[in-house]
Amino acid sequence: MVSRLIPVDPFDLVIFGGTGDLARRKILPALFRRFCAGQMSPDTQIIAAARSALDTATYRGFVTEALNEFVPNRACEEGTLAGFLAIIDYVAIDATGKDGWETLVERIQGNRVRAFYFSVGPSLFAPLAERINSYGLSTQTSRIVVEKPFGHDLTSARALNAILADNFDESQIYRIDHYLGKETVQNLMAIRFGNMLFEPLWNSQYVDHIQITVAESVGVGGRGGYYDRAGAMRDMMQNHLMQLLCLIAMEPPAKFDPDAVRDEKLKVIRALDPVQPHHIVRGQYNAAPGDEDAHPSYREAVEDPRSTTESYIALKAHISNWRWANTPFYLRTGKRLVARSSVINVMFKDAPHAIFGQEAGRHANVLSIRLQPNEGITLKVTIKEPGPGGMRLLDVPLDMSFAEALGAEGEDPPDAYERLIVDVIRGNQTLFMRGDEVEAAWGWTDPIIAGWQARGDVPKPYDSGSTGPGDAELLMKRDGRKWQGINP
Ligand code: NAD
């Protein structure tokens, strides 16, 4: 099956931070792939704006290197790279001063869609918003894309929302969470709301509990300074895991419309109970035994031998509403774990009566929604073990790997950034977080963080390459449950 490609009208896109890591690894490759697929017109204009004093030719060299590294296998026609480079321009700019702004204004003319991507550190979000407005670049067709982190707590998120609201309408603000751009995440909505099969079972009567795991095998790497001020709670739980929780738990919106979807997500966050201290496990990774130089401990990586920031967090959450009363949601995320794996497991209840007797064992259905790697959905069902010799039962997966199902085997599925950037240009905010959602999420996480700060909580050490601290296993065991494996 070939996916339908609907070209987007020519637009102007300004990437603030165009020389940065995110632009190099994600944004430029995403734009190039869309160009290569024929979705972007050659009349489009991409302007990278960053602090370095580069000319456009040098910047195009930077883009070429980035694409060679991050889009090595291209199914494009000859000459496509040259065509892409031709639509790229560079402006040296100071986000906190005056330099470069008049030049940028000269380069952007006309009434077509103009998007400003804030791929810079969060301290520059407010100065950029103010300057885009004061230099007259904010028009009816302007949009801004704001990267994470969106605030450090509720107070700072509110302050940032207020500054953005002074300069733009909410309908122009695209707060990005790239997890929402993943094919599987949207398929989660298609599966829930496009089929009769699952929705009747999607509640506490049939679902025992839900597990959301976002495991990373890498450590903090070069982001130690930022990460040590944030930790797993702020860096991952408050945004990515909570967004996944919302999509899993929300009521069906009346229509697939940005505000209808986001209203339902917001209701989920507002229905979350405060988390009990004994339902939280924080961890911090040790060095990899025998490989300490390549994989140092968290404290060495952030150069603070006394850091109490968590590189791992697991918690048990409850949603107080009709659908989910008594169905716990177990969420965990961490760095330097055994594998890179992001999975949502919907764990259904056991069959109410075991007609096949003790010998057949206990079996329950599991719907696994894999976000990375190998995006796809698996439903574990119970069947009879083949062969004679009685009724023994076996769990087998009904597997739906998207690459296979959509006939795109061997090709990478579109990256989340490709989809999200195209959505920005089209003006579709469904997969972006609204200001009140972000504030509600901070409103839930702030007291959790304040609680462990007041208690002087110290994270539990765990081995690099493990599944996390033993206490996270206990969190489940106390409830007679078990985490699913973290598999690559
Ligand atoms: P980076 O440090 O690699 O790049 C920062 C960019 O900002 C550079 O292009 C630099 O020239 C520009 N810049 C800095 N000061 C400036 C100024 N005064 N005026 C104009 N430009 C200025 O950062 P990054 O890793 O690319 O991250 C960018 C944003 O994206 C951050 O908010 C980060 O949290 C977020 N983010 C990054 C990643 C990632 O994988 N790198 C992932 C998710 C979110």
Side-chain angles (χ1 to χ4, degrees):
M1 190 196 306
V2 178
S3 63
R4 270 175 296 157
L5 191 80
I6 304 168
V8 288
D9 291 338
F11 59 90
D12 295 308
L13 171 67
V14 179
I15 311 171
F16 292 108
T19 57
D21 178 64
L22 185 68
R24 205 169 67 82
R25 286 191 308 110
K26 292 290 181 185
I27 304 171
L28 291 164
L31 288 164
F32 178 61
R33 284 206 196 92
R34 288 299 91 208
F35 187 82
C36 180
Q39 200 163 21
M40 271 163 53
S41 150
D43 293 334
T44 293
Q45 182 180 217
I46 297 168
I47 303 173
R51 209 167 26 178
S52 315
L54 306 177
D55 58 21
T56 295
T58 312
Y59 185 71
R60 287 179 181 166
F62 169 90
V63 176
T64 308
E65 277 177 28
L67 299 180
N68 286 343
E69 187 173 350
F70 297 105
V71 198
N73 306 316
R74 299 170 194 163
C76 307
E77 285 171 22
E78 193 81 9
T80 308
L81 176 59
F84 182 67
L85 294 176
I87 66 171
I88 289 189
D89 205 348
Y90 183 84
V91 174
I93 210 161
D94 182 3
T96 56
K98 292 182 176 167
D99 290 353
W101 284 93
E102 297 291 356
T103 314
L104 186 62
V105 171
E106 282 166 23
R107 305 273 169 95
I108 307 177
Q109 303 291 339
N111 251 343
R112 61 194 200 172
V113 167
R114 47 175 80 164
F116 299 93
Y117 199 129
F118 293 9
S119 180
V120 291
S123 63
L124 299 183
F125 295 166
L128 280 179
E130 285 161 350
R131 278 166 183 72
I132 290 170
N133 201 6
S134 64
Y135 279 90
L137 288 166
S138 174
T139 63
Q140 294 279 332
T141 59
S142 300
R143 281 137 213 202
I144 60 167
V145 184
V146 187
E147 265 297 336
K148 75 173 231 192
F150 197 93
H152 184 74
D153 52 18
L154 178 55
T155 308
S156 53
R158 269 191 187 143
L160 179 54
N161 270 335
I163 291 173
L164 298 186
D166 281 346
N167 295 285
F168 301 93
D169 187 73
E170 180 64 32
S171 63
Q172 297 178 295
I173 305 170
Y174 291 71
R175 295 173 194 79
I176 203 161
D177 181 333
H178 70 274
Y179 272 61
L180 298 184
K182 289 188 177 292
E183 192 70 34
T184 325
V185 170
Q186 290 157 78
N187 249 310
L188 172 58
M189 288 188 272
I191 286 205
R192 281 193 62 191
F193 306 133
N195 295 284
M196 193 56 202
L197 196 60
F198 294 107
E199 199 49 27
L201 307 178
W202 211 260
N203 55 55
S204 58
Q205 203 181 339
Y206 297 99
V207 177
D208 179 73
H209 71 281
I210 289 176
Q211 302 184 7
I212 303 179
T213 298
V214 176
E216 295 178 277
S217 53
V218 294
V220 291
R223 293 171 70 223
Y226 154 74
Y227 193 91
D228 203 40
R229 289 189 299 279
M233 187 68 172
R234 290 189 168 96
D235 188 50
M236 299 296 288
M237 185 70 77
Q238 184 273 345
N239 39 63
H240 304 315
L241 278 90
M242 283 195 71
Q243 287 295 317
L244 299 179
L245 171 79
C246 286
L247 293 175
I248 278 279
M250 71 182 189
E251 295 300 315
K255 50 188 171 173
F256 194 61
D257 152 283
D259 277 328
V261 171
R262 297 183 301 175
D263 285 346
E264 294 306 333
K265 284 164 61 196
L266 180 61
K267 284 183 205 162
V268 174
I269 305 177
R270 291 195 172 147
L272 277 167
D273 287 345
V275 180
Q276 304 296 319
H278 62 286
H279 290 163
I280 304 168
V281 178
R282 296 169 71 232
Q284 202 182 60
Y285 62 83
N286 290 328
D291 198 10
E292 289 84 358
D293 288 345
H295 297 301
S297 71
Y298 176 83
R299 288 181 174 183
E300 282 167 283
V302 301
E303 295 175 10
D304 178 357
R306 288 207 294 267
S307 171
T308 56
T309 304
E310 76 286 354
S311 60
Y312 175 99
I313 186 158
L315 58 81
K316 176 170 142 181
H318 277 286
I319 299 171
S320 276
N321 65 16
W322 192 281
R323 185 188 285 265
W324 295 119
N326 302 321
T327 298
F329 288 70
Y330 298 90
L331 279 56
R332 66 176 166 171
T333 180
K335 291 197 174 290
R336 289 292 298 132
L337 295 177
V338 59
R340 171 175 174 261
S341 171
S342 299
V343 186
I344 303 168
N345 286 305
V346 181
M347 314 291 294
F348 288 91
K349 291 188 174 172
D350 288 351
H353 172 58
I355 67 163
F356 302 112
Q358 293 293 338
E359 197 194 323
R362 288 162 65 95
H363 298 267
N365 301 116
V366 181
L367 182 71
S368 298
I369 300 135
R370 287 192 312 274
L371 278 78
Q372 61 190 22
N374 311 322
E375 286 195 57
I377 295 183
T378 307
L379 178 64
K380 200 173 81 179
V381 292
T382 303
I383 60 163
K384 178 192 164 296
E385 210 177 284
M391 195 68 173
R392 290 187 304 273
L393 301 184
L394 180 72
D395 292 330
V396 292
L398 282 180
D399 208 334
M400 185 178 143
S401 149
F402 295 139
E404 269 172 44
L406 302 178
E409 230 174 326
E411 281 177 33
D412 292 336
D415 184 77
Y417 282 90
E418 293 177 55
R419 173 170 301 104
L420 294 174
I421 292 171
V422 172
D423 279 358
V424 171
I425 304 305
R426 288 197 205 287
N428 184 348
Q429 289 184 303
T430 310
L431 300 174
F432 296 83
M433 295 176 293
R434 211 168 51 191
D436 51 2
E437 262 186 273
V438 178
E439 289 185 16
W442 281 121
W444 185 69
T445 44
D446 273 6
I448 301 176
I449 296 170
W452 73 55
Q453 284 173 345
R455 292 192 302 277
D457 183 86
V458 177
K460 303 277 185 301
Y462 63 93
D463 289 341
S464 276
S466 72
T467 56
D471 283 16
E473 304 297 329
L474 286 179
L475 177 73
M476 283 281 198
K477 208 171 170 187
R478 279 201 303 259
D479 296 344
R481 300 185 174 109
K482 202 171 175 299
W483 292 105
Q484 296 283 291
I486 299 178
N487 303 313

